[in-house]
Amino acid sequence: MSQAAATSAVSTDPSRRARLAEFWYYFAENRGAVIGLVFFLFLVLLAVFAPWIAPHDPVAQYRDAVLVPPVWQEAGRADYLLGTDAVGRDMLSRLIYGTRFSLFVGVIVTTLSLVGGIALGVIAGYFRGWVDTVIMRVMDIILAFPSLLLALVLVAVLGPGLVNAMIAIALVFQPHFVRLTRAAVMSEKTRDYVVAAKVAGAGHGRLMFKTILPNCMAPLIVQATLSFSSAILDAAALGFLGMGAQPPTPEWGTMLAEAREFISSHWWVVTLPGIAILVTVLAINLMGDGLRDALDPKLKRS
Amino acid sequence: MQWCQRWDTMPRQRGAGFNMFRFLMGRLAVLIPTFIGVSIIAFSFIRLLPGDPVALLSGERVMSPERHAEISHQLGFDRPIVVQYLDYLWGVLQGDFGTSIVTKKPVIDQFFELFPATVELSLCAILFAVILGIPAGVVAAIKRGSAIDQAMMGTALVGFSMPIFWWGLLLIMLVSGMLQWTPVSGRISLMYFFPPVTGFMLVDSLLSGQAGAFKSAVSHLVLPTIVLGTIPLAVIARQTRSAMLEVLSEDYVRTARAKGLSTFRVVGVHALRNAMIPVVTTIGLQVGVMLAGAILTETIFSWPGIGKWMVDSVSRRDYAVIQGGLLVIAAVIMLVNLIVDLLYGLINPRIRH
């Protein structure tokens, strides 16, 4: 079947559309989730259009404007709405460009750990036996370490940098997806529709990924939003410890690390990147709560 | 009534005891291979690093070939890799986790020197989280949908989303900087000096009998406790609320209400006890979270615990400490998780392992 035919089949399928409507109904019931979604879309726009929105180059150093306070404070300048940092870089532009890094980290880490986790989890839950044992023991080993410590050490091995930080975080997040997928696959595997597909002659691959997997997605999507926000937090933490994105990258955690010494004298260099991290993570977590309510009726709407 | 209760609980306890043994055996069957896996990771770590492991472990950058061969032999690098691993594992089982390149002290000694500081901080943080989190969750559940509930759960979500390294900086800026209420770093003021007895500054400062020492220790502890306890606090409050909501809708709570018991009694005696079961699990799960959080919290507050030790070792490239520390920390977490699981089995009579 061609891609176009598949898409039109999806959009005309009434049950799917009804499910989407039902999903939106429950999602929209949670006001926080909608606010989170709107803010998240705003961040996506900021990230995509950063070069056009940002008033300055994020790494350009204006030597005549070092540590200028935000515009509403005395000595603030209209060119630099949120002030400048210790080497005269525009805070607002750096924060806008920072959304790119944070969303990028979230997308890549979640995709990597989701895809890897689903593959391993489906295989473990479907085949059981020694394959399952081996996979789950390896996941137990990863889970035995505090996640940030393992990520820190992995980055020490791979060398500091944003890409290596993302690989390390994805690896550390993986076991959660494996466990969730495996549990869901195991509970679906013995259902009638799976047995029916098997009797009809479906092979292992088809059974695993086409028959069973789509019915296991709800908890995985909820976990994916959670890991999206955790990935942003952990990448910022690694940046803060000097092991993530390296200066002069306008990554929020790295910006905080550079700003530490100005903590008592110039509040804006310390406060603003943290607020950016907090509201981004908060928006995604709000969305995650709404998704949980809408996708998983088994979890209480509380 | 007294007799009745005892008659009811005795066989249950015996059953639980028997199952507890099987449960423990089952857990050990999982834990031992996990520990071996963890030791393999710690063992391979030093060999995966770019560069010569002999140079990395000895800390000597420029070496003559003879010196290199000598150290290589000393560290056992000239033997087959399997022998090297078994040798390493044998050493670990005897408590030999390697020697720091920088301080030349055994890793395990350094660990036990610093571990009490992390335990003290973590205990205070979890206490902070439990003392505030459980009542907050209970109140939110009772007043479900009210402004109080929404405010509390909103705050909990903010706490859960908090980048704690920034939260620490912010608190230092406000409380230590502007208000000058607490010191910025360390465990106690340099004015006080006494030999460590328990390793816990709160206890040691009291034992020392020096006036003001305890107060100084407390004031150093306040901010790190808040920072490290914030995420557990948010998680516990949310978990308590949802567990409480579930229990409050159950039949026995309705019965207790119908009997005419006061809300306080229904909530405090009947509901809370059962709602605590998932909450205890949550608290147990926070141990790993705590240690990950300790890495950031201790770095910000220059708290001399194992989190800061690991970060410092990474930046000093003290690979022997990273290798040993990884393994000790993983072992401690595995042990704590095992204890939490056992406690969970004791608290929850519904579980028959």
Side-chain angles (χ1 to χ4, degrees):
Chain A
M1 196 170 17
S2 74
Q3 192 60 47
T7 339
S8 72
V10 165
S11 55
T12 51
D13 183 351
S15 79
R16 190 169 282 237
R17 201 190 288 170
R19 253 166 47 203
L20 203 66
E22 192 199 347
F23 164 78
W24 178 251
Y25 173 79
Y26 283 120
F27 185 83
E29 221 177 38
N30 186 335
R31 208 166 0 122
V34 178
I35 296 173
L37 179 67
V38 171
F39 191 78
F40 182 73
L41 292 177
F42 168 70
L43 288 175
V44 172
L45 289 180
L46 271 189
V48 172
F49 297 106
W52 293 276
I53 299 170
H56 298 272
D57 182 337
V59 292
Q61 303 181 359
Y62 298 96
R63 290 290 172 188
D64 59 327
V66 171
L67 288 167
V68 171
V71 66
W72 61 86
Q73 283 207 323
E74 221 175 304
R77 283 157 58 172
D79 312 355
Y80 311 105
L81 287 177
L82 293 179
T84 58
D85 69 5
V87 289
R89 291 174 297 203
D90 180 47
M91 286 297 288
L92 179 63
S93 308
R94 287 177 73 70
L95 290 175
I96 290 172
Y97 272 90
T99 39
R100 288 189 151 189
F101 294 97
S102 286
L103 295 184
F104 182 63
V105 165
V107 169
I108 298 292
V109 167
T110 307
T111 314
L112 282 179
S113 51
L114 188 72
V115 171
I118 284 179
L120 289 173
V122 168
I123 290 170
Y126 184 83
F127 288 113
R128 304 302 307 274
W130 67 268
V131 183
D132 181 29
T133 312
V134 170
I135 293 177
M136 294 322 285
R137 279 305 85 79
V138 173
M139 294 306 129
D140 280 347
I141 292 167
I142 298 179
L143 285 174
F145 297 101
S147 57
L148 190 63
L149 177 63
L150 190 56
L152 188 69
V153 171
L154 282 171
V155 175
V157 173
L158 300 169
L162 194 62
V163 174
N164 290 341
M166 288 192 296
I167 295 172
I169 297 168
L171 198 75
V172 172
F173 283 2
Q174 181 126 306
H176 301 286
F177 288 101
V178 176
R179 284 189 162 184
L180 268 180
T181 314
R182 174 177 174 268
V185 167
M186 273 161 49
S187 73
E188 291 292 317
K189 209 180 122 186
T190 49
R191 295 278 187 87
D192 288 343
Y193 71 91
V194 180
V195 178
K198 205 182 204 164
V199 171
H204 287 313
R206 192 182 170 83
L207 277 178
M208 281 194 282
F209 292 103
K210 283 218 143 167
T211 314
I212 299 180
L213 186 61
N215 294 296
C216 303
M217 285 314 285
L220 289 174
I221 293 172
V222 176
Q223 179 67 30
T225 35
L226 201 64
S227 75
F228 198 105
S229 58
S230 309
I232 293 178
L233 277 181
D234 281 7
L238 285 176
F240 180 72
L241 293 174
M243 287 288 158
Q246 296 298 305
T249 315
E251 196 272 330
W252 295 334
T254 311
M255 287 170 72
L256 270 174
E258 290 175 59
R260 261 185 87 171
E261 52 186 300
F262 302 103
I263 183 169
S264 51
S265 50
H266 305 90
W267 63 268
W268 61 94
V269 278
V270 182
T271 315
L272 298 176
I275 292 177
I277 301 171
L278 175 62
V279 291
T280 306
V281 172
L282 186 61
I284 297 164
N285 283 342
L286 280 169
M287 252 165 51
D289 271 8
L291 277 177
R292 188 198 56 183
D293 289 355
L295 286 174
D296 205 341
K298 273 172 276 177
L299 294 168
K300 293 146 298 296
R301 299 216 164 77
S302 52
Chain B
M1 197 62 199
Q2 196 78 37
W3 180 81
C4 239
Q5 261 179 354
R6 196 168 288 172
W7 175 79
D8 183 44
T9 51
M10 254 169 49
R12 181 186 286 176
Q13 267 173 357
R14 199 167 39 188
F18 172 70
N19 286 322
M20 197 55 74
F21 176 74
R22 267 184 57 192
F23 168 72
L24 193 64
M25 288 298 115
R27 282 309 306 253
L28 284 179
V30 176
L31 273 183
I32 291 169
T34 309
F35 181 77
I36 292 175
V38 166
S39 70
I40 291 175
I41 290 192
F43 170 78
S44 2
F45 156 73
I46 207 91
R47 286 155 181 87
L48 289 175
L49 283 167
D52 177 19
V54 176
L56 292 175
L57 270 183
S58 66
E60 293 179 31
R61 297 241 165 83
V62 189
M63 277 186 277
S64 64
E66 296 79 42
R67 175 86 180 128
H68 187 277
E70 187 195 327
I71 296 177
S72 179
H73 180 71
Q74 217 176 338
L75 293 168
F77 274 92
D78 50 355
R79 284 177 297 164
I81 191 99
V82 180
V83 178
Q84 285 182 39
Y85 169 69
L86 290 177
D87 199 44
Y88 174 71
L89 189 63
W90 181 240
V92 163
L93 291 178
Q94 291 172 318
D96 175 14
F97 287 82
T99 309
S100 163
I101 298 164
V102 178
T103 62
K104 306 290 179 201
K105 279 202 280 185
V107 172
I108 193 76
D109 291 359
Q110 275 188 303
F111 175 81
F112 281 118
E113 218 168 272
L114 300 169
F115 192 49
T118 301
V119 173
E120 183 175 47
L121 176 57
S122 304
L123 281 180
C124 289
I126 206 79
L127 219 65
F128 164 78
V130 167
I131 289 175
L132 290 180
I134 290 181
V138 170
V139 170
I142 297 172
K143 307 261 179 201
R144 182 184 186 175
S146 70
I148 297 176
D149 178 22
Q150 281 176 354
M152 281 207 228
M153 286 306 113
T155 314
L157 199 65
V158 173
F160 183 67
S161 312
M162 190 65 91
I164 63 167
F165 45 98
W166 176 69
W167 180 221
L169 292 179
L170 202 66
L171 285 177
I172 289 178
M173 200 161 91
L174 296 174
V175 181
S176 305
M178 286 164 69
L179 299 170
Q180 308 251 317
W181 283 353
T182 60
V184 178
S185 65
R187 292 180 77 188
I188 194 157
S189 162
L190 291 172
M191 278 166 59
Y192 305 100
F193 183 79
F194 38 82
V197 183
T198 58
F200 297 115
M201 204 50 91
L202 291 178
V203 182
D204 286 355
S205 62
L206 277 178
L207 290 178
S208 76
Q210 295 180 25
F214 181 70
K215 207 180 143 207
S216 170
V218 170
S219 68
H220 280 79
L221 196 55
V222 172
L223 289 190
T225 297
I226 295 175
V227 169
L228 188 56
T230 297
I231 289 181
L233 169 61
V235 174
I236 289 172
R238 265 169 79 117
Q239 185 69 44
T240 306
R241 176 178 179 273
S242 64
M244 202 67 194
L245 281 179
E246 188 176 349
V247 169
L248 283 177
S249 66
E250 293 220 18
D251 287 343
Y252 67 87
V253 171
R254 271 223 311 272
T255 312
R257 282 225 168 110
K259 273 201 308 195
L261 296 182
S262 68
T263 310
F264 182 75
R265 208 178 149 73
V266 171
V267 171
V269 179
H270 292 259
L272 191 59
R273 226 167 66 190
N274 285 297
M276 276 305 96
I277 292 166
V279 175
V280 168
T281 322
T282 312
I283 295 172
L285 286 174
Q286 296 302 310
V287 175
V289 177
M290 282 294 195
L291 278 166
I295 293 174
L296 295 166
T297 311
E298 291 178 358
T299 305
I300 296 163
F301 292 99
S302 304
W303 188 265
I306 53 167
K308 183 172 186 304
W309 179 49
M310 289 310 280
V311 173
D312 289 348
S313 302
V314 167
S315 53
R316 275 190 224 142
R317 303 180 188 281
D318 192 341
Y319 295 112
V321 168
I322 304 172
Q323 183 185 33
L326 257 185
L327 188 52
V328 190
I329 292 169
V332 167
I333 292 183
M334 283 159 68
L335 199 67
V336 173
N337 283 342
L338 181 68
I339 295 170
V340 169
D341 277 355
L342 288 176
L343 285 180
Y344 183 54
L346 286 175
I347 294 171
N348 188 358
R350 268 184 266 177
I351 285 209
R352 294 276 195 271
H353 294 289

